[in-house]
Amino acid sequence: QSALTQPASVSGSPGQSITISCTGTSSDVGAFDFVSWYQQRPGTAPKLMIYEVSNRPSGISNRFSGSKSDNTASLTISGLQAQDEADYYCSSYTGSNNHLFGGGTKLTVL
Amino acid sequence: QLQLQESGPGLVKPSETLSLTCSVSGGSISSTAYYWGWIRQPPGKGLEWIGSIFYSGRTYYSPSLKSRVTISVDTSRNQFSLNLDSVTAADTAVYYCARRRASALDCWGQGTLVTVSS
């Protein structure tokens, strides 16, 4: 199984909105509404930001939103803040209780 | 508050077995609502799913690692463990344990770096 495809980097200025894409196949992203997104700051463990495509865990800002169309999922961050600078990873269920991660996207807040 | 903590050797020789344990506190590993998983991250690279286990002992492994991985659970100690056989330098990574609720990993350990070197 190949990793889900994410852009290596995205950037935006404070206050702007950015979107990170996550492209899979009809066997993973396209087959299940089980896409999640994780934020990872340097030297720390990943943190769940979005689950089941568009749901936010308790305590996660509503500036973070998720969506999916066909085989591509997206994470949108609105009102960018300096603290949002981090690596972001998508993950999809692939069936048989297995999961696949994306290669990660480095977000730079200019 | 749920906490997970990885433990084990930080250095493993090539061809040997990597063994790590994840201790769970603040919650029961026997809950029917969760699975418990292992994920790794080579230095400077992305995340890789290794596998997961249910409290009953039912396991699910990544197809790419299935031949070398064993995950087990000890409900009496509220722990679960990872064994990875025949390691090479490519297995050098930060290893994380995490709780899996449905399809998402909602609580992670801090991670532990394991280096494979002679």
Side-chain angles (χ1 to χ4, degrees), chain A residues 35-58:
Chain A
V35 175
S36 49
W37 289 90
Y38 302 88
Q39 177 192 69
Q40 186 179 34
R41 295 192 173 106
T44 68
K47 176 183 179 181
L48 179 65
M49 305 302 284
I50 296 286
Y51 67 96
E52 293 173 6
V53 177
S54 59
N55 295 292
R56 283 186 308 275
S58 175

Side-chain angles (χ1 to χ4, degrees), chain A residues 45-92:
Chain A
K47 176 183 179 181
L48 179 65
M49 305 302 284
I50 296 286
Y51 67 96
E52 293 173 6
V53 177
S54 59
N55 295 292
R56 283 186 308 275
S58 175
I60 300 301
S61 170
N62 59 10
R63 297 187 299 106
F64 291 84
S65 62
S67 62
K68 192 187 84 166
S69 177
D70 297 327
N71 298 336
T72 297
S74 298
L75 172 71
T76 298
I77 308 174
S78 59
L80 262 183
Q81 299 178 2
Q83 67 195 44
D84 298 331
E85 188 161 289
D87 294 329
Y88 290 84
Y89 293 91
C90 63
S91 176
S92 176

Side-chain angles (χ1 to χ4, degrees), chain B residues 5-7 9 18 20-21 37-42 48 50 65 68-69 82-84 87-98 108-116:
Chain B
Q5 177 69 57
E6 306 88 351
S7 61
L18 179 159
L20 296 174
T21 295
W38 288 98
I39 304 93
R40 70 180 182 178
Q41 184 173 35
E48 180 181 19
I50 298 173
L65 294 170
R68 298 194 292 131
V69 171
L82 168 71
N83 277 2
L84 182 64
V87 297
T88 68
D91 295 309
T92 293
V94 175
Y95 285 77
Y96 294 100
C97 60
W108 295 63
Q110 66 184 26
T112 187
L113 175 63
V114 180
T115 301
V116 178

Side-chain angles (χ1 to χ4, degrees), chain A residues 38 40 45-46 89 97-99, chain B residues 41 60-61 96 100 105 108-109:
Chain A
Y38 302 88
Q40 186 179 34
Y89 293 91
N97 255 293
N98 273 306
H99 296 74
Chain B
Q41 184 173 35
Y60 306 90
Y61 300 136
Y96 294 100
R100 201 192 100 203
L105 300 163
W108 295 63

Side-chain angles (χ1 to χ4, degrees), chain B residues 12-104:
Chain B
V12 180
K13 290 182 169 55
S15 80
E16 296 190 343
T17 296
L18 179 159
S19 296
L20 296 174
T21 295
C22 181
S23 299
V24 179
S25 59
S28 174
I29 203 169
S30 298
S31 170
T32 58
Y34 306 109
Y35 288 76
W36 305 90
W38 288 98
I39 304 93
R40 70 180 182 178
Q41 184 173 35
K45 296 187 178 180
L47 300 168
E48 180 181 19
W49 177 264
I50 298 173
S52 61
I53 190 165
F54 196 51
Y55 80 97
S56 62
R58 181 75 185 267
T59 53
Y60 306 90
Y61 300 136
S62 166
S64 62
L65 294 170
K66 186 174 183 177
S67 63
R68 298 194 292 131
V69 171
T70 303
I71 298 175
S72 58
V73 64
D74 186 339
T75 54
S76 66
R77 294 186 176 186
N78 227 35
Q79 296 176 336
F80 62 106
S81 298
L82 168 71
N83 277 2
L84 182 64
D85 298 329
S86 305
V87 297
T88 68
D91 295 309
T92 293
V94 175
Y95 285 77
Y96 294 100
C97 60
R99 184 179 75 175
R100 201 192 100 203
R101 182 176 180 225
S103 64

